């Protein structure tokens, strides 16, 4: 509060009073006006503390204009924060992202300012020699002095290096043999060595790199799709392109986006090896103080490469000159809560705003990206085959109608035989099932009820290791009951269908001597735990990995030659817009895990619908045919990328109030050409955490201002406090 007082007294004689329009990182409809205290000398982008009600909040100066605010005096800004200003392009990006997502600018601003929440790096107390000799020289003291000769260290470091107690160091300090020096940890990251020798690229990689260098050399915004099967050397190529961009401009910065923390670790290690220095790292697993360091370094131009998850896109880069989006098709780029956005799409927007090129890399690009590439909007650079002559795995369909598994089992005879042969050859297998837990459904044999979560519309999944029933929608869980909660019958509950734990159980019965391990978010609960499993698999300490999609991407297991997909049809059952696309991408990625090195690999896909276009395309390894069919269907229906979608999700605790509001909302929909509004309808999950849910779906022709329509619609109705209205532009989830 002292800050506010001093600001007030300073503002006595406003020579040319100015009004600062301050954007706050809160879901507010607009920026707030404040008076600039005289002498503060604000500029656009400055970070300030401003009063909001009784509190002070951190915000960013979005605009400055002359004036005093008329007869109602404006509250003054309390202080300018000791942090680098937000660059104009970052502010422009935040504003653009808000409009695109039909949300208030405060929401993306909150993400952009997240790095400031961490404490500023504290100065460290370092000890150095003064040159004075100790009064009583002892062996321990001599060791401390020898250790201090190498340069200043903290007291703890000195004691450790000299193998003495902290008392010995303290005594030397008291005597004046050592003195203290305060040093603030540097904000600078070690620069990459761009001249380090790079691997020799194969001709296909060299051609792709030439295309990227050409794009980067042209300057300005452009997008390239780097399209090549897993193992074709895409990462190697984009790291070369990144080196090229950084060499061209000594201040340039580059951002590499990855869909998952586990993958960021692998890429960080490769960058550290390739350029002799670790890049800055940005994701939810990074501690707040370290995040603040990255944030400030990005704004000051003191780090040249940032590797991060989707929110790294909101860092305040001083001079962003290249963005790479790896695994660009990955659904994790869609942020579904809070500020809803698609990081790949926003990366392209940020590239445009920064006038920087963007590289999208994938083995199975999204239909949107393929369509843009096909239209010539993006450069399309294809890597033909795997680097070093490794062959693609052979993909075979196991027709479950002809060779079903035994009753109560999930592995069909052809898969069991292949796994047996693989293990006999001393090679590894991966059994893939994208379902956590033991069984997706628990049924009472006595009354027929299915067990569901008490406050949500979803079935409870049995997790046998944990002995619990879990709701995968909300995380609710309870111990597995002995009696049916509906009819009280004892021992009547049966597990229906398989999850990874059940497949593991079956594999153990079939191959008692094999070392079998489950890899899912339940067993790999942290990045370290995930890495431990990956390392054990790479080192050959695991024979069969039973895994969910946690293992589908990025990892390279040299001795893995068989991939068995337990239920290839699983992803198709939801039937939403991207079900076929997602299934194709996921299964192609999983199959790509087999035989990455010299050993040829096989993938067996168990399916009840071998004639489905997705299965046929996978077996024929004909992505282009699948894409052509899928695009034709989307075109006929006017769906993305040929039209655009948005969802309105309305929820509230009270059914009657919700229905009344939804009715008003439906009546308020503006009339607009080229836009269809469907709904309201009960959401597939009509009850979540005690809240009832309804949905509208909006379909717009391309070229129609969908965001303008959504903003106009929202402005026409005011929701009661108990009701939440969320707008999801380009929805990925339809639940
Ligand atoms: P992708 O990103 O397409 O999956 P990577 O870039 O990871 O492919 O390459 C696959 C493997 O081949 C990696 O182990 C990588 O180090 C190696 N590799 C790729 N290109 C080369 C090259 N030109 N020289 C040597 N090794 C390479």
């Amino acid at each position: 509060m002292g800050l506010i007082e001093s600001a007030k007294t300073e503002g006595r004689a406003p020579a040319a009073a100015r009004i600062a329009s301050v954007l706050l990182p809160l879901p507010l409809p607009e920026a707030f006006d404040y008076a600039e205290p005289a002498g503060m000398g604000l500029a656009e982008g400055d970070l300030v503390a401003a009063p909001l009600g009784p509190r002070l909040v951190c915000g960013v100066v979005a605009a400055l204009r002359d004036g005093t605010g008329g007869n109602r005096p404006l509250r003054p800004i309390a202080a300018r924060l000791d942090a680098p200003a937000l660059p104009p392009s970052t502010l422009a990006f935040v504003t653009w992202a808000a409009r695109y997502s039909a949300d208030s600018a405060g929401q993306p601003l909150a993400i952009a300012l997240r790095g400031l929440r961490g404490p500023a790096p504290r100065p460290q107390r370092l000890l150095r020699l003064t040159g004075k000799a100790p009064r009583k020289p002892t062996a321990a003291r001599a060791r401390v002095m020898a250790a201090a000769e190498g340069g200043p260290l903290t007291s703890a470091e000195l004691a450790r290096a000299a193998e003495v107690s902290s008392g010995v160091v303290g005594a030397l300090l008291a005597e004046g043999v050592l003195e203290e020096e305060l040093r603030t940890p540097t904000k600078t990251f070690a620069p990459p060595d761009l001249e380090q020798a790079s691997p020799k690229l194969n001709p296909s990689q060299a051609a792709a790199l030439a295309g990227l260098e050409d794009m980067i050399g042209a300057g300005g915004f452009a997008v390239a799709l780097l399209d090549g099967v897993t193992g074709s050397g895409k990462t190697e190529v984009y790291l070369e392109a990144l080196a090229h961009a950084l060499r061209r401009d000594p201040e340039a910065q580059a951002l590499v986006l990855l869909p998952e923390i586990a993958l960021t670790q692998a890429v960080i290690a490769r960058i550290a090896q390739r350029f002799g220095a670790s890049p800055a790292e940005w994701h939810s697993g990074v501690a707040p103080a370290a995040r603040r360091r990255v944030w400030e370094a990005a704004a000051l131009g003191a780090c040249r490469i940032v590797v991060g998850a989707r929110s790294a896109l909101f860092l305040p880069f001083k001079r962003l000159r290249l963005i790479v989006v790896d695994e660009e098709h990955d659904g994790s780029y869609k942020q579904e809560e809070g500020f809803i956005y698609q990081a790949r799409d926003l990366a392209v927007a940020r590239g445009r705003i920064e006038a920087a090129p963007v590289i999208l890399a994938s083995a199975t690009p999204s239909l949107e990206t393929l369509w843009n590439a096909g239209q010539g909007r993006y450069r399309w650079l294809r890597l033909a085959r795997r680097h070093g002559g490794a062959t693609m795995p052979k993909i075979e369909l196991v027709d479950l109608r002809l060779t079903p598994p035994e009753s109560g089992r999930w592995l069909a005879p052809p898969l069991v035989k292949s796994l047996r042969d693989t293990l006999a050859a001393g090679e590894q297998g991966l059994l893939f099932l994208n379902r956590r837990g033991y069984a997706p459904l628990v049924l009472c044999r006595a009354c027929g009820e299915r067990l569901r979560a008490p406050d949500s519309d979803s079935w409870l999944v049995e997790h046998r290791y944990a002995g619990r029933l879990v709701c995968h929608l909300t995380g609710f869980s309870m111990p597995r009951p002995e009696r049916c909660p509906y009819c009280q019958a004892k021992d009547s509950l049966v597990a229906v269908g398989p999850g990874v734990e059940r497949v593991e159980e079956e594999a153990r019965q079939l191959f008692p001597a094999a070392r079998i391990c489950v890899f899912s978010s339940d067993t790999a609960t942290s990045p370290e735990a995930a890495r431990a499993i990956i390392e054990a698999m790479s080192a050959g300490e695991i024979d069969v990995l039973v895994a969910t999609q946690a293992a589908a991407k990025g990892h390279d297991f040299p001795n893995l030659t068989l991939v068995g997909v337990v239920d290839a049809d699983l992803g198709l059952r939801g039937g939403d817009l991207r079900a076929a696309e997602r299934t194709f991408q996921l299964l192609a990625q999983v199959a790509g895990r087999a035989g990455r090195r010299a050993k040829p690999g096989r993938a067996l896909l168990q399916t009840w619908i071998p004639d489905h276009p997705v299965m046929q395309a996978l077996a024929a390894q004909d992505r282009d045919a699948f894409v052509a069919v899928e695009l034709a269907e989307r075109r006929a229906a006017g769906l993305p990328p040929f039209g655009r979608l948005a969802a309105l999700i309305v929820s509230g605790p009270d059914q009657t109030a919700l229905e009344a509001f939804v009715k008003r909302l439906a009546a308020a929909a503006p009339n607009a050409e080229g836009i269809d509004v469907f709904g309201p309808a009960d959401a597939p999950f009509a009850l979540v955490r005690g809240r009832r849910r309804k949905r509208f779906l909006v379909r717009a022709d391309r070229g129609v201002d969908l965001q303008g329509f959504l903003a106009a619609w929202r402005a026409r109705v005011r929701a009661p406090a108990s009701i939440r209205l969320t707008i999801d532009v380009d929805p990925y989830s339809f639940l």
Side-chain angles (χ1 to χ4, degrees):
M1 288 323 269
L3 286 172
I4 296 179
E5 296 313 315
S6 67
K8 268 181 188 160
T9 48
E10 267 177 37
R12 219 175 295 131
R18 290 199 300 176
I19 299 172
S21 167
V22 176
L23 209 52
L24 301 173
L26 299 165
L28 301 166
E30 55 203 7
F32 285 179
D33 282 349
Y34 292 91
E36 177 190 27
M40 196 174 265
L42 288 174
E44 278 175 24
D46 276 349
L47 296 173
V48 294
L52 185 72
R55 312 183 281 155
L56 276 184
V57 287
C58 158
V60 57
V61 177
L64 287 155
R65 62 182 194 277
D66 290 338
T68 56
N71 4 351
R72 268 193 65 210
L74 293 170
R75 298 180 78 179
I77 282 177
R80 183 166 53 192
L81 300 183
D82 180 21
L86 215 57
S89 56
T90 305
L91 194 54
F93 172 63
V94 160
T95 315
W96 191 93
R99 184 178 146 71
Y100 184 82
S101 292
D103 209 329
S104 65
Q107 299 268 49
L109 183 67
I111 305 176
L113 299 186
R114 214 177 263 166
L116 287 174
R117 272 200 239 138
R122 260 186 300 156
Q124 277 184 310
R125 282 171 202 283
L126 299 180
L127 301 181
R128 63 170 175 222
L129 293 170
T130 57
K132 193 173 158 193
R135 257 179 275 148
K136 240 192 328 170
T138 63
R141 290 180 158 207
R143 284 205 304 277
V144 173
M145 292 175 65
E149 247 160 37
L153 292 173
T154 64
S155 162
E157 284 166 347
L158 261 184
R160 211 176 313 125
E163 296 179 338
V164 299
S165 72
S166 59
V168 180
V169 178
L172 287 172
L173 180 64
E175 237 179 68
V177 177
L178 293 170
E179 65 182 0
E180 254 181 20
E181 169 191 324
L182 281 183
R183 208 184 269 183
T184 309
T186 166
K187 287 173 182 155
T188 308
F189 284 77
D193 177 1
L194 303 172
E195 305 311 326
Q196 206 154 292
S198 51
K200 186 165 164 31
L201 299 182
N202 66 38
S204 170
Q205 288 176 310
L209 178 62
L212 294 177
E213 291 188 344
D214 185 52
M215 170 175 81
I216 293 165
F221 166 68
V223 185
L225 166 60
L226 188 55
D227 175 5
V229 295
T230 37
S232 58
K234 296 183 295 297
T235 310
E236 218 61 61
V237 171
Y238 76 62
L239 290 184
E240 286 314 301
L242 188 150
H244 181 75
L246 298 190
R247 261 188 241 119
R248 265 171 50 91
D249 173 348
E251 290 184 5
Q253 298 171 300
L255 168 66
V256 179
L257 283 183
L258 292 150
E260 279 185 19
I261 301 182
L263 294 180
T264 61
Q265 297 311 318
V267 171
I268 284 168
R270 271 177 86 165
I271 290 181
Q273 201 187 16
R274 170 73 186 78
F275 299 117
S278 286
E281 178 176 357
W282 180 273
H283 51 72
S284 59
V286 176
R291 281 216 228 180
R292 178 154 183 156
R293 179 166 170 248
V294 175
W295 195 94
E296 298 206 351
L300 297 169
C303 62
R304 302 205 64 198
I305 309 175
V306 177
V307 175
R310 58 192 176 213
S311 64
L313 194 55
F314 291 85
L315 280 168
F317 291 99
K318 186 176 178 202
R319 201 168 165 79
L320 186 57
R321 284 295 169 271
L322 181 67
I323 305 175
V324 178
V325 184
D326 201 354
E327 309 284 356
E328 70 86 34
H329 64 278
D330 199 299
S332 321
Y333 279 122
K334 179 80 196 236
Q335 158 77 33
E336 303 273 11
E337 272 168 22
F339 180 61
I340 299 178
Y341 65 95
Q342 189 356 315
R344 181 238 305 147
D345 295 345
L346 286 194
V348 172
R350 177 128 201 198
R352 188 157 28 72
I353 289 168
E354 303 277 354
V358 180
I359 300 173
L360 307 177
S362 175
T364 50
S366 63
L367 283 198
E368 283 88 343
T369 296
L370 283 170
W371 188 67
N372 278 318
Q375 296 290 301
R377 272 193 213 108
Y378 298 172
R379 280 176 195 240
W380 195 344
L381 304 168
R382 298 183 90 141
L383 295 179
R385 51 181 74 83
R386 290 185 159 188
H387 178 77
T391 48
M392 285 301 286
K394 197 161 171 281
I395 299 181
E396 296 157 46
L397 302 179
V398 176
D399 186 341
L400 293 175
R401 297 169 308 183
L402 304 178
T403 53
E406 289 168 29
S407 125
R409 303 263 172 171
W410 316 100
L411 305 178
L415 179 53
V416 173
K417 178 176 181 319
S418 298
L419 192 53
R420 179 164 293 128
D421 295 347
T422 302
L423 294 176
E427 296 168 357
Q428 292 167 306
L430 177 106
L431 293 174
F432 177 80
L433 177 62
N434 205 12
R435 210 188 250 146
R436 294 159 49 208
Y438 184 84
L441 189 69
V442 180
L443 186 84
C444 171
R445 220 173 327 169
C447 69
E449 280 289 349
R450 299 158 180 207
L451 269 57
R452 55 167 91 216
D455 62 346
S456 301
D457 237 359
S458 64
W459 312 128
L460 289 171
V461 177
E462 178 168 2
H463 284 240
R464 201 157 275 191
Y465 297 155
R468 298 184 80 82
L469 305 183
V470 181
C471 168
H472 284 188
L473 195 60
T474 64
F476 164 88
S477 81
M478 60 189 252
R480 189 182 198 278
E482 276 182 16
R483 291 177 180 277
C484 167
Y486 301 100
C487 72
Q488 307 306 323
K490 198 161 187 296
D491 297 328
S492 66
L493 299 179
V494 282
V496 182
V500 275
E501 292 177 9
R502 197 169 203 173
V503 171
E504 186 215 15
E505 180 182 270
E506 185 174 339
R508 275 192 201 287
Q509 287 162 1
L510 287 165
F511 308 105
R515 294 160 301 173
I516 302 174
C517 177
V518 170
F519 187 0
S520 75
S521 57
D522 298 308
T523 58
T525 46
S526 66
E528 295 77 49
R531 210 171 319 142
I533 299 179
I534 291 164
E535 277 166 14
M537 183 73 182
S538 300
E541 290 157 14
I542 295 170
D543 299 312
V544 181
L545 196 61
V546 183
T548 62
Q549 66 175 354
K553 318 164 193 178
H555 315 297
D556 184 8
F557 303 124
N559 198 35
L560 172 65
T561 56
L562 177 73
V563 167
V565 175
V566 177
D567 184 354
D569 313 335
L570 182 60
L572 291 170
R573 289 190 198 119
D576 72 46
L577 167 69
R578 291 185 180 81
E581 180 187 355
R582 259 198 317 257
T583 301
F584 182 87
Q585 288 162 342
L586 182 61
L587 298 187
Q589 295 271 350
V590 176
R593 296 299 117 217
R596 273 197 98 177
R597 293 276 164 87
K599 293 181 186 169
R602 278 175 89 195
L604 298 187
L605 274 47
Q606 300 196 134
T607 173
W608 293 97
I609 42 171
D611 298 329
H612 193 285
V614 169
M615 301 306 152
Q616 288 295 316
L618 283 164
Q621 310 230 7
D622 191 350
R623 188 189 81 192
D624 294 349
F626 167 71
V627 168
V629 170
E630 187 68 14
L631 277 177
E633 282 183 16
R634 300 249 191 118
R635 185 194 293 272
L639 293 171
F642 302 97
R644 305 181 52 213
L645 294 180
L648 272 67
I649 303 114
V650 192
S651 69
D654 178 64
Q655 179 82 12
T656 319
L658 180 68
E659 279 181 5
F661 175 71
V662 160
K663 217 178 201 176
R664 272 205 294 134
L665 190 60
N671 268 327
E673 210 152 301
I675 291 191
D676 308 311
V677 176
F678 305 100
D682 279 341
F685 286 124
L687 179 68
V688 176
R689 292 191 182 92
R691 294 176 76 86
R692 309 255 154 212
R693 302 168 76 241
K694 299 226 172 232
R695 295 180 67 107
F696 291 85
L697 188 67
V698 182
R699 196 209 63 81
D701 291 345
R702 277 184 84 84
V704 171
D705 179 10
L706 175 61
Q707 278 80 6
F709 172 86
L710 295 169
W713 190 2
R714 173 181 268 181
R716 287 184 179 191
V717 271
R718 183 176 280 273
S722 67
I723 285 181
R724 202 180 302 145
L725 166 61
T726 309
I727 297 183
D728 182 357
V729 174
D730 196 17
Y732 277 54
S733 161
F734 294 81
L735 297 175

